[in-house]
Amino acid sequence: MILVVIEWRANQPRWVQIAAVIKQRIDGGVYAVDEQVPSEHQIVQEFGVARGTARKVLVRLREEGIVYAVRGLGNFVADPTADHQ
């Protein structure tokens, strides 16, 4: 396991900063549409944050329509071109 080192900005919550990292990875093609993004546990391990912080990251990404959840399977990259009505 590789621990990602982030220079935390005091004026922004860590969960916001981690969500931005995952969004950058999606935009950069690290995670493709319908591909699974890191789980809460993986976020905890990678970024060295509490589980509640990891949960906030995933909630934020779902609220923004960047990922969608599949019960029992995890969170996946949403298709930005799909009609979400």
Side-chain angles (χ1 to χ4, degrees), residues 8 13 15 17 26 28 31 35 38-39 44 47 51 59 64 66 69-71 76 78-79 81 84:
W8 300 111
W15 62 271
Q17 295 175 59
I26 292 168
Y31 306 118
E35 186 175 341
S39 66
V44 166
F47 295 96
R51 191 168 192 107
V59 167
E64 292 181 7
I66 295 168
V70 177
R71 188 177 192 102
F76 299 82
D79 184 349
T81 63
H84 298 287

Side-chain angles (χ1 to χ4, degrees), residues 14-68:
R14 289 184 179 184
W15 62 271
V16 172
Q17 295 175 59
I18 296 168
V21 169
I22 294 174
K23 284 190 267 187
Q24 288 173 349
R25 291 177 182 174
I26 292 168
D27 292 342
V30 174
Y31 306 118
V33 171
D34 294 328
E35 186 175 341
Q36 191 169 12
V37 297
S39 66
E40 283 180 17
H41 178 73
Q42 290 168 324
I43 291 170
V44 166
Q45 295 297 311
E46 182 176 354
F47 295 96
V49 295
R51 191 168 192 107
T53 301
R55 185 172 298 118
K56 283 184 176 184
V57 170
L58 294 171
V59 167
R60 168 74 165 243
L61 294 172
R62 285 193 302 268
E63 288 174 348
E64 292 181 7
I66 295 168
V67 302
Y68 63 92

